[in-house]
Amino acid sequence: MALTTAPEQIDRIVGNYHHNPFDVLGPHRIQIDGKDVWTVRAYLPKAESAWVIMPDSRQAVSMTNEHHGDFFECILDVDDLASYQLRYEADGHEHVIYDPYAFRSPLVTEYDAHLFGEGNHHRIYEKLGAHPTTIDDVTGIYFAVWAPNARNVSILGDFNDWDGRQHQMNIGHGGIWGLFIPELTVGAHYKYEIKNHEGHIYEKSDPYGFQQEVRPKTASIVADLNSYGWQDDAWMEQRRHQEPLSQPISVYELHLGSWMHESSNNPALQPDGTESPVVTVADLKPGARFLTYRELADRLIPYIKELGFTHIELLPIAEHPFDGSWGYQVTGYYAATSRYGSPEDLMYFIDQCHQNGIGVLVDWVPGHFPKDGHGLAFFDGTHLYEHADPRKGEHKEWGTLVFNYGRNEVRNFLVANALFWFDKYHIDGIRVDAVASMLYLDYNRKSGEWVANEYGGRENIEAADCLRQTNHLLFSYYPGILSIAEESTSWPMVSWPTYVGGLGFNLKWNMGWMHDMLDYFSMDPWFRQFHQNNVTFSIWYAFSENFMLALSHDEVVHGKSNMIGKMPGDEWQKHANMRCLYTYMFMHPGKKTLFMGMEFGQWSEWNVWGDLEWHLLQYQPHKELKAFFEQLNTTYRSEPALYTQDFDQQGFEWIDCSDNRHSVVAFIRRAKDSDEFIVVVCNFTPQPHSHYRVGVPAKGYYREVFNSDAREFGGSNMGNLGGKWSEDWAYHNRAYSLDLTLPPLATVVFKLDPARTSSAALSGFV
């Protein structure tokens, strides 16, 4: 039979360097002797013989392989070839498949590619990646990957013996390669084989893949994220209608892999009873393994409810190759880490959190990515996701690469990724890691190691625009959520709306407050009188941004000691100092975040390879500290004055901030649209004070609603017998005052009791 295509075209297919295999393979309408006929061409490596099975008659028409032993062709004089199949023999076995090159309906349209090229395709993850779909009544998986500079791209998988010759992809609009593989199902393992124009081969995981193998393996896994049946409609509807900044927000930050482990004596099981593909942790005791997402739901959620936190914040759960990176060196931005189970398992965990009234925040890392060969680095044989110039494209200190935020498709990758976690996993917020590293071109770079922007400045304008676009879209699509910046500099308007020039976050970690307070509490109490400014300075700028007060994982690693180790004095004083600090933190304007282990006074630094020191809870001081947190969160959540005006100067008023001789401060917190207020007095020394007078704004009985020195918390149980009546003694420029007892190293909180005050007034006692 005469060839119906040029030999050089066949050679390019056989050599696996054709950029458009659809031009050669599959069905083609041609003319022979003036008559329209079909030719079907197939490249079937290792096949010994092949046939085309006609769709209606099931007749098998033999194919020939005259030009090359693996390239088959036949001529068919028929009108319709829809849904034909190929039958071939290889290695003594017969195979019947649908021809991938017979399906020419691309999932990625020209309009999709146009939006992606603009950086405005908000759901690009529904187009790129691997997606179960049906074309011409045949089910299968459609693959699409952006690799504009590749010479050719193939799909490797367990379904083709990882042979890149068998499923060569076709390049379409915008440098996007695509191919539909019929009858392939969810669960298939795959990678992309990418060749550059020099013929160098790169095997890459799918940048938009929804699941990856358990490390150290790196293949992507076809997953269906639309099959889980969510039960959190009430939570999602409530969230949509609330203003989070006027709600209590108390966040428990944790790393899922080191909160708690399980022994090998208790294997993890899937809902169907089969064993989960979770992995052991080599650096722990022999046989220890991670808890699964479902096991974490059973153990973590009751614990969080008992403590009273409103949210949990998960250190990055996107796929990462190295446990010791804590998740901050991401290779699979769209893949929930398989360490703890499947995507559906994570959905179940978040669903259960919502059904139990707990919000879920996730750390998001758009600032850098690692150089691992299977990841984004040098993806299509060029610097695709990163800058080519190392002065802009590399964090030398971290050994990572920087995204090219000025490239529309890269910005689209990141913006859509943030939207993805809210869309598919129903998360309630993100905490964006290392924002400062994104915003400054000279971040951790010496002179001559960075490139100025177009105006000669050090600001990364493209990164700032990327963050603005992300936040604008997040709040447009998902009102009621949180977007939190870990930003350690004085970049202006981080938590201001984008329409006034801000970056668009609605919260920013207050790194200045954290450093000031940890420096203050680490010093001997006698010296604190000389450093009163550490306590008071934060109020000077407290309302310039929407601040979150955070004592995070970064403060309990790398030789910094855990919180209890930072505190001076004997063991009792260490615990008292912590209770005083935490209470002051919860009374101070701003939302709150604490890292796991702080709630019961862990002594050791956080170790990503181990558990928290749960054994400490058998000892009374640690048990009492946990009870303290339960009551502190209860008090915080029950008093609107402590959270409704966190970001308004009307919500805070100093009573006295100048008593540095006693290291005492007193202030008022006021509720929004209400006359309610809270009086807070902090004694930062171990010296108790009796008859300490504090001015108050109203006459009446002030109930002591919280005392960090209470006996049930392990304190000395000094206090004010449940409350104090005001006296007509003008003090602190107020007409009334309280004569208080201030316990050592303690914060005491008072609230005017209108009912008791009114009752006493009617009886003539006041």
Side-chain angles (χ1 to χ4, degrees):
M1 185 186 74
L3 287 173
T4 61
T5 189
E8 58 268 23
Q9 291 282 71
I10 298 174
D11 291 340
R12 291 175 68 190
I13 293 292
V14 172
N16 191 11
Y17 56 91
H18 203 299
H19 72 285
N20 197 346
F22 277 91
D23 283 352
V24 180
L25 300 176
H28 294 268
R29 198 70 166 163
I30 63 172
Q31 276 199 345
I32 296 181
D33 298 331
K35 184 177 183 180
D36 288 335
V37 295
W38 288 98
T39 179
V40 175
R41 310 184 192 111
Y43 178 45
L44 302 169
K46 301 181 182 179
E48 299 155 7
S49 53
W51 297 263
V52 173
I53 301 178
M54 305 302 293
D56 296 325
S57 66
R58 309 303 296 169
Q59 175 188 359
V61 179
S62 180
M63 306 181 78
T64 63
N65 55 346
E66 297 175 4
H67 180 77
H68 188 278
D70 296 331
F71 188 88
F72 295 84
E73 184 175 13
C74 71
I75 302 296
L76 298 170
D77 186 7
V78 294
D79 293 328
D80 186 17
L81 267 181
S83 301
Y84 69 87
Q85 291 177 293
L86 299 174
R87 189 180 83 199
Y88 65 94
E89 293 181 353
D91 298 326
H93 297 281
E94 185 174 273
H95 306 268
V96 177
I97 63 169
Y98 285 98
D99 185 357
Y101 299 98
F103 299 87
R104 296 175 179 266
S105 300
L107 186 67
V108 182
T109 66
E110 183 176 0
Y111 184 58
D112 289 323
H114 171 76
L115 290 177
F116 183 55
E118 285 187 337
N120 289 320
H121 201 308
H122 305 158
R123 296 287 189 270
I124 190 62
Y125 51 84
E126 293 181 345
K127 298 293 185 174
L128 298 183
H131 300 277
T133 190
T134 300
I135 299 178
D136 297 336
D137 297 324
V138 177
T139 61
I141 306 297
Y142 192 91
F143 295 87
V145 62
W146 179 57
N149 303 305
R151 186 181 71 183
N152 63 294
V153 180
S154 298
I155 305 167
L156 306 174
D158 47 13
F159 44 86
N160 62 17
D161 297 323
W162 303 92
D163 184 348
R165 298 174 297 170
Q166 295 193 39
H167 292 103
Q168 301 176 38
M169 304 180 78
N170 198 69
I171 192 168
H173 302 288
I176 296 173
W177 301 76
L179 184 68
F180 175 70
I181 301 183
E183 299 184 304
L184 197 61
T185 58
V186 168
H189 294 58
Y190 71 100
K191 283 187 175 182
Y192 295 115
E193 180 186 271
I194 299 175
K195 290 182 182 177
N196 68 6
H197 286 275
E198 287 74 43
H200 299 155
I201 298 176
Y202 306 87
E203 292 188 5
K204 296 289 187 177
S205 302
D206 190 345
Y208 291 85
F210 295 151
Q211 188 177 0
Q212 286 189 11
E213 292 180 295
V214 177
R215 54 94 181 99
K217 296 181 178 180
T218 57
S220 298
I221 302 174
V222 177
D224 181 4
L225 300 188
N226 299 317
S227 59
Y228 180 79
W230 289 90
Q231 303 294 319
D232 64 347
D233 290 351
W235 171 274
M236 299 294 282
E237 184 64 16
Q238 177 188 6
R239 187 187 76 182
R240 190 169 69 88
H241 292 288
Q242 74 179 14
E243 169 46 61
L245 298 187
S246 62
Q247 302 295 317
I249 296 177
S250 171
V251 180
Y252 184 82
E253 183 193 33
L254 75 149
H255 176 257
L256 291 178
S258 56
W259 182 74
M260 182 182 292
H261 293 89
E262 184 58 272
S263 70
S264 60
N265 298 327
N266 184 13
L269 300 179
Q270 300 277 29
D272 61 2
T274 59
E275 194 164 339
S276 296
V278 292
V279 290
T280 59
V281 188
D283 294 287
L284 292 174
K285 56 188 178 183
R289 64 165 178 81
F290 292 129
L291 293 174
T292 67
Y293 293 117
R294 291 178 182 267
E295 290 171 332
L296 284 160
D298 293 338
R299 300 190 193 187
L300 178 61
I301 291 174
Y303 185 74
I304 298 300
K305 291 183 70 175
E306 181 183 15
L307 287 170
F309 286 95
T310 63
H311 294 72
I312 58 173
E313 178 187 326
L314 307 178
L315 269 63
I317 55 173
E319 196 58 83
H320 50 283
F322 178 49
D323 294 349
S325 77
W326 309 342
Y328 289 99
Q329 295 201 9
V330 179
T331 51
Y333 275 80
Y334 288 83
T337 180
S338 54
R339 286 166 174 79
Y340 319 119
S342 69
E344 282 200 357
D345 293 336
L346 175 57
M347 292 175 184
Y348 172 84
F349 171 78
I350 295 173
D351 199 359
Q352 289 298 307
C353 285
H354 288 171
Q355 292 180 50
N356 284 275
I358 300 169
V360 180
L361 314 178
V362 171
D363 279 14
W364 185 53
V365 192
H368 62 125
F369 60 93
K371 299 177 180 178
D372 295 68
H374 68 281
L376 299 176
F378 213 63
F379 186 78
D380 64 354
T382 67
H383 297 282
L384 187 64
Y385 284 88
E386 71 273 22
H387 286 280
D389 189 337
R391 295 175 298 172
K392 298 179 70 176
E394 185 175 3
H395 280 304
K396 291 186 178 180
E397 182 180 6
W398 298 344
T400 56
L401 300 174
V402 182
F403 284 103
N404 183 352
Y405 305 104
R407 186 172 222 155
N408 290 344
E409 296 90 347
V410 174
R411 189 178 72 252
N412 201 145
F413 172 84
L414 291 170
V415 172
N417 183 243
L419 294 167
F420 163 82
W421 289 98
F422 289 90
D423 178 21
K424 298 300 184 182
Y425 286 96
H426 290 203
I427 67 169
D428 302 289
I430 54 174
R431 192 219 42 134
V432 183
D433 178 65
V435 171
S437 74
M438 299 174 63
L439 293 176
Y440 296 98
L441 295 166
D442 62 346
Y443 185 86
N444 275 357
R445 292 185 174 93
K446 300 176 183 178
S447 177
E449 294 181 350
W450 61 282
V451 181
N453 63 32
E454 58 188 296
Y455 303 106
R458 65 191 187 106
E459 298 80 9
N460 192 329
I461 298 170
E462 292 87 359
D465 287 342
C466 179
L467 291 171
R468 289 190 184 97
Q469 182 183 6
T470 300
N471 286 318
H472 172 74
L473 291 172
L474 282 178
F475 292 114
S476 298
Y477 282 114
Y478 305 106
I481 58 96
L482 298 174
S483 181
I484 308 163
E486 184 209 7
E487 204 285 313
S488 54
T489 74
S490 57
W491 184 283
M493 301 191 298
V494 171
S495 59
W496 290 37
T498 56
Y499 58 78
V500 297
L503 292 182
F505 294 93
N506 58 357
L507 285 169
K508 171 183 173 175
W509 271 14
N510 193 335
M511 311 295 280
W513 175 89
M514 179 270 296
H515 286 297
D516 286 345
M517 294 311 298
L518 292 184
D519 287 347
Y520 183 80
F521 270 87
S522 66
M523 66 181 68
D524 185 284
W526 188 85
F527 292 101
R528 292 176 183 174
Q529 62 185 305
F530 306 113
H531 298 274
Q532 187 89 340
N533 186 59
N534 281 47
V535 178
T536 61
F537 181 65
S538 59
I539 299 301
W540 282 97
Y541 61 85
F543 308 107
S544 63
E545 299 275 6
N546 300 334
F547 282 117
M548 172 171 276
L549 310 183
L551 296 173
S552 75
H553 65 278
D554 281 326
E555 310 319 313
V556 294
V557 290
H558 301 325
K560 297 178 184 177
S561 175
N562 214 306
M563 292 300 294
I564 193 169
K566 300 177 192 292
M567 303 299 157
D570 58 24
E571 185 173 351
W572 186 92
Q573 289 188 348
K574 287 177 181 292
H575 280 268
N577 268 300
M578 285 197 300
R579 293 193 303 269
C580 184
L581 167 60
Y582 294 143
T583 309
Y584 173 69
M585 173 185 183
F586 273 67
M587 301 302 117
H588 188 288
K591 308 308 181 185
K592 330 295 176 186
T593 292
L594 289 117
F595 187 57
M596 64 182 190
M598 294 181 183
E599 76 276 13
F600 61 80
Q602 174 159 318
W603 281 94
S604 299
E605 288 190 345
W606 170 47
N607 174 15
V608 72
W609 309 108
D611 288 2
L612 296 184
E613 296 179 326
W614 295 109
H615 65 278
L616 292 177
L617 285 172
Q618 67 185 301
Y619 303 112
Q620 198 64 23
H622 299 277
K623 191 183 302 182
E624 290 166 341
L625 183 59
K626 179 172 172 286
F628 158 84
F629 261 104
E630 294 170 15
Q631 189 57 49
L632 180 61
N633 269 312
T634 298
T635 301
Y636 169 65
R637 296 175 69 165
S638 62
E639 298 296 342
L642 296 178
Y643 58 79
T644 53
Q645 291 199 104
D646 273 324
F647 313 114
D648 190 329
Q649 295 186 50
Q650 302 303 315
F652 178 90
E653 181 182 351
W654 282 119
I655 296 175
D656 183 18
C657 62
S658 60
D659 188 7
N660 61 294
R661 187 169 67 90
H662 295 102
S663 297
V664 171
V665 296
F667 56 88
I668 297 170
R669 295 296 311 278
R670 297 185 184 277
K672 186 176 183 180
D673 301 326
S674 170
D675 294 331
E676 287 189 18
F677 62 91
I678 292 287
V679 174
V680 181
V681 187
C682 307
N683 176 17
F684 297 121
T685 72
Q687 175 64 49
H689 302 295
S690 58
H691 302 294
Y692 191 94
R693 190 162 294 277
V694 173
V696 291
K699 186 175 185 178
Y701 180 77
Y702 284 77
R703 180 166 52 89
E704 189 178 80
V705 296
F706 194 83
N707 181 346
S708 69
D709 190 54
R711 178 184 289 116
E712 62 188 292
F713 307 147
S716 66
N717 208 38
M718 293 186 68
N720 298 275
L721 301 177
K724 278 293 184 81
W725 287 98
S726 67
E727 299 177 2
D728 294 338
W729 186 332
Y731 209 73
H732 291 140
N733 294 318
R734 289 169 175 82
Y736 312 102
S737 60
L738 300 176
D739 181 6
L740 301 176
T741 295
L742 301 186
L745 293 170
T747 299
V748 286
V749 184
F750 300 89
K751 182 180 181 181
L752 184 65
D753 188 333
R756 187 163 179 177
T757 300
S758 299
S759 175
L762 291 173
S763 303
F765 290 114
V766 294

